[in-house]
Amino acid sequence: GENVEQHPSTLSVQEGDSAVIKCTYSDSASNYFPWYKQELGKRPQLIIDIRSNVGEKKDQRIAVTLNKTAKHFSLHITETQPEDSAVYFCAASNPNQGGKLIFGQGTELSVKP
Amino acid sequence: KAGVTQTPRYLIKTRGQQVTLSCSPISGHRSVSWYQQTPGQGLQFLFEYFSETQRNKGNFPGRFSGRQFSNSRSEMNVSTLELGDSALYLCASSLSVSGTSYEQYFGPGTRLTVT
């Protein structure tokens, strides 16, 4: 069935370092891949997304890359700051299934000052 | 625009009872999706409503149901509550139309505790 695998489950970096989170999806018809950031006790917030017709997308310190052939996509955060500490979720969406998002298991990122 | 709102924010129920949760989407959004979030299972898709019709359904038992009204507000109902239904229930709204995936914006969630 549909599945999204996300690694690592926890990630600890020093402030200023880069962080990379990787996801692999199983449904080859998926064409939309959002990333959400969820701080403790708060709602998931969309931070960046990418569609299958694009290989890379950047927004300031955040970038996402997509490899359709290998069916994996990654989130890259550069110059990490303590406020980047949160749980990050990747997700995949098949356009034929409307608003259904299949989420990865989440990565708890800790940025140490 | 106002964001997605959910009521109530917190609920405590007893096993066997039923509960109704409400979600008001962003103005203009016609799609509302519901997700269950637990520490063990993560974020799992429950169902999606678009223009008052259930467009998609996840792998949850029939005790979980929902509906959408003409103003796009959605409700989710869980009958015969079990301890394992304790979770954060999130709804998300989207401009999503058939054949295209759109950004989904989440509400703050309803924390349901079943005792």
Side-chain angles (χ1 to χ4, degrees):
Chain A
E2 310 143 323
N3 190 43
V4 175
E5 294 287 336
Q6 182 173 345
H7 298 282
S9 56
T10 61
L11 180 59
S12 182
V13 300
Q14 288 295 133
E15 183 177 0
D17 287 350
S18 295
V20 180
I21 302 170
K22 299 182 179 183
C23 290
T24 303
Y25 60 98
S26 62
D27 184 355
S28 57
S30 297
N31 72 345
Y32 174 65
F33 308 92
W35 285 87
Y36 287 86
K37 174 184 180 182
Q38 188 175 28
E39 296 175 83
L40 191 62
K42 297 194 175 180
R43 71 186 79 189
Q45 287 199 307
L46 179 66
I47 57 171
I48 195 168
D49 56 14
I50 192 167
R51 297 186 184 274
S52 59
N53 59 346
V54 175
E56 183 176 4
K57 184 177 178 180
K58 287 184 180 180
D59 183 4
Q60 299 183 344
R61 297 185 297 108
I62 292 173
V64 58
T65 58
L66 171 65
N67 182 327
K68 284 192 297 182
T69 303
K71 290 193 285 187
H72 69 73
F73 56 113
S74 300
L75 177 71
H76 303 252
I77 306 174
T78 59
E79 300 172 18
T80 54
Q81 301 166 4
E83 51 265 39
D84 293 330
S85 296
V87 179
Y88 291 80
F89 292 95
C90 64
S93 175
N94 179 329
N96 299 316
Q97 296 189 14
K100 179 178 181 179
L101 288 176
I102 305 298
F103 281 90
Q105 297 88 335
T107 296
E108 184 174 0
L109 173 64
S110 174
V111 180
K112 300 184 186 305
Chain B
K1 284 185 179 179
V4 180
T5 59
Q6 291 186 246
T7 56
R9 295 293 311 278
Y10 302 91
L11 266 179
I12 300 176
K13 290 287 187 177
T14 304
R15 273 181 300 175
Q17 288 186 314
Q18 74 166 13
V19 66
T20 299
L21 314 181
S22 180
C23 173
S24 292
I26 293 170
S27 177
H29 285 192
R30 295 165 61 191
S31 167
V32 175
S33 297
W34 288 89
Y35 297 86
Q36 181 194 66
Q37 186 173 29
T38 59
Q41 299 298 318
L43 279 154
Q44 291 190 293
F45 174 79
L46 281 154
F47 31 64
E48 183 211 5
Y49 285 86
F50 180 80
S51 293
E52 302 179 65
T53 301
Q54 187 181 86
R55 186 160 67 171
N56 231 314
K57 191 176 188 306
N59 297 322
F60 279 81
R63 299 184 298 106
F64 292 81
S65 63
R67 59 177 175 168
Q68 188 179 34
F69 302 94
S70 58
N71 62 356
S72 294
R73 188 177 70 85
S74 178
E75 287 183 347
M76 177 191 136
N77 184 274
V78 188
S79 62
T80 320
L81 284 165
E82 300 177 359
L83 294 179
D85 296 333
S86 294
L88 179 66
Y89 290 89
L90 292 157
C91 75
S93 81
S94 168
L95 283 169
S96 177
V97 296
S98 178
T100 307
S101 297
Y102 281 82
E103 297 85 349
Q104 291 192 25
Y105 299 93
F106 282 87
T110 295
R111 173 72 63 185
L112 172 64
T113 302
V114 182
T115 62

